[in-house]
Amino acid sequence: MWCMPLRAHPVRTSIAVSDIGRAAGFYEGKLGLRSLWPGPSARVENGSRVYESAGGPALNVYQSTTAGQTSATLATWYVEDLDQIVDELTAAGVEISRYDELEHDARGITARAGGGRIAWFQDPDGNTFAVEADI
């Protein structure tokens, strides 16, 4: 049996949050993302948002009891000017994460495996995100 491959379809990440109102303040107010549409989340009316990035839907953010239960990086934005983006995030009140096992510059940026540079941050529930650049 032949199945249509997933590579032919768009993908977006889903992020569990404990409070959709607080999350909307972070994703819209601090990250500057635009909500494309609200929706339900399990039993919560208007408990989710779909956020745009690079002109299309990119993040499904939904209220759930499973919020913040992973330390893995859930999504990464690939940017041209990492220093500028980190400065803008910091100015908006986003705290750049630092990890003891890595060396960070003054902004909290570190070398990325295989070349380039990366910085991490977390939303109010502890969900981890990254911004990275090839140079």
Side-chain angles (χ1 to χ4, degrees), residues 6-86:
L6 291 178
R7 70 176 181 251
H9 301 280
V11 65
R12 59 181 170 231
T13 191
S14 293
I15 310 298
V17 298
S18 61
D19 181 305
I20 194 64
R22 181 178 68 166
F26 178 80
Y27 289 91
E28 295 166 30
K30 293 189 178 194
L31 301 186
L33 298 178
R34 185 170 71 97
S35 176
L36 295 175
W37 58 82
S41 173
R43 298 181 198 120
V44 180
E45 186 176 339
N46 290 321
S48 70
R49 304 284 183 282
V50 174
Y51 287 103
E52 174 188 40
S53 189
L59 296 177
N60 295 323
V61 177
Y62 64 98
Q63 190 164 311
S64 172
T65 58
T66 64
Q69 293 186 10
T70 181
S71 59
T73 303
L74 297 176
T76 302
W77 281 269
Y78 296 90
V79 301
E80 300 264 331
D81 189 337
L82 184 58
D83 295 304
Q84 177 185 343
I85 295 296
V86 168

